[in-house]
Amino acid sequence: GEDVEQSLFLSVREGDSSVINCTYTDSSSTYLYWYKQEPGAGLQLLTYIFSNMDMKQDQRLTVLLNKKDKHLSLRIADTQTGDSAIYFCAETNSSASKIIFGSGTRLSIRP
Amino acid sequence: SQTIHQWPATLVQPVGSPLSLECTVEGTSNPNLYWYRQAAGRGLQLLFYSVGIGQISSEVPQNLSASRPQDRQFILSSKKLLLSDSGFYLCACTRRTSTYNEQFFGPGTRLTVL
């Protein structure tokens, strides 16, 4: 079945770049997503990328997709304290009725 | 745009008591609806999803059940709660655009079973 994997924790210094990595198994994935969850809240969509793209940039966020290796990454430039959260990678295909989420990476920022 | 309401926001229940969590969606019709559970410090576990009224798919065997009595209402229930049912329960709906599917999440219900 489909599976999405992420490392559980990442700690970066304020002002540095954060890179959160994700791997997935479904070769028919069409859409890949990054969601952010702040403490005690639901998830919010940060960005998404189509499987026929290899990069997408949105202000401080850069998404890289290596479809051959089924590897997705999220880079946050100039990481701020407000970026502290859990980041979830997710994937779906065009015919699927559900989105498969990874376990989430907890990003903590140190001064 | 979609708005998802969940209540209650927090709940403390004794082991063996019943449960009913409600989710309602505004701003869309015929959405796909989902229940997720997030245990403390863990990722999201998909519990149930529904593509229409009365249609429920269960992802994992468990002590819980779901129902969809109306198009925009999704209910999570249990007859007898277990300690392991504690967690953060998130309701979500999918919005289909012409280009991608986006899943919107409610604010969640934090359930503590004692």
Side-chain angles (χ1 to χ4, degrees):
Chain A
E2 310 97 337
D3 194 20
V4 178
E5 293 192 355
Q6 304 174 238
S7 53
L8 292 180
F9 301 99
L10 176 66
S11 175
V12 300
R13 198 164 50 191
E14 187 175 0
D16 287 352
S17 292
S18 306
V19 180
I20 303 171
N21 294 301
C22 167
T23 58
Y24 60 97
T25 58
D26 186 359
S27 57
S28 63
S29 292
T30 309
Y31 310 102
L32 295 123
Y33 310 84
W34 284 105
Y35 281 81
K36 178 182 180 182
Q37 183 185 31
E38 297 187 356
L43 278 68
Q44 289 186 308
L45 180 66
L46 271 183
T47 187
Y48 66 94
I49 189 169
F50 301 131
S51 59
N52 61 358
M53 298 168 64
D54 52 21
M55 188 182 89
K56 181 177 180 181
Q57 189 151 3
D58 182 3
Q59 298 181 335
R60 291 192 298 122
L61 304 179
T62 303
V63 179
L64 296 178
L65 174 61
N66 181 328
K67 194 174 179 182
K68 174 175 168 290
D69 294 338
K70 300 190 186 71
H71 181 267
L72 184 74
S73 68
L74 173 69
R75 178 176 179 269
I76 306 172
D78 186 25
T79 309
Q80 304 297 308
T81 54
D83 295 324
S84 293
I86 301 176
Y87 291 82
F88 289 91
C89 172
E91 63 90 13
T92 190
N93 60 48
S94 57
S95 61
S97 55
K98 57 186 179 182
I99 298 176
I100 308 299
F101 285 85
S103 57
T105 299
R106 184 178 295 274
L107 175 64
S108 60
I109 315 302
R110 57 185 192 272
Chain B
S1 64
Q2 288 86 346
T3 303
I4 302 179
H5 301 281
Q6 287 187 246
W7 64 89
T10 59
L11 190 60
V12 181
Q13 291 284 98
V15 168
S17 63
L19 173 74
S20 180
L21 301 183
E22 190 161 344
C23 168
T24 57
V25 180
E26 293 178 359
T28 187
S29 58
N30 194 28
N32 283 2
L33 297 174
Y34 306 81
W35 277 112
Y36 291 88
R37 177 171 57 208
Q38 186 177 26
R42 305 283 293 276
L44 290 176
Q45 180 184 33
L46 179 61
L47 301 175
F48 301 95
Y49 71 95
S50 171
V51 299
I53 295 173
Q55 300 178 60
I56 308 294
S57 297
S58 174
E59 286 295 294
V60 293
Q62 60 198 301
N63 182 42
L64 302 169
S65 62
S67 61
R68 185 170 178 175
Q70 300 181 46
D71 180 46
R72 289 174 285 180
Q73 184 185 28
F74 205 23
I75 297 172
L76 185 70
S77 305
S78 174
K79 291 181 180 177
K80 286 186 179 182
L81 283 169
L82 305 173
L83 286 174
S84 57
D85 292 325
S86 292
F88 192 48
Y89 287 82
L90 289 160
C91 178
C93 76
T94 297
R95 178 175 77 107
R96 292 183 196 79
T97 72
S98 59
T99 53
Y100 69 100
N101 296 334
E102 179 178 351
Q103 200 153 69
F104 288 87
F105 286 82
T109 294
R110 185 162 302 281
L111 171 66
T112 304
V113 182
L114 301 175

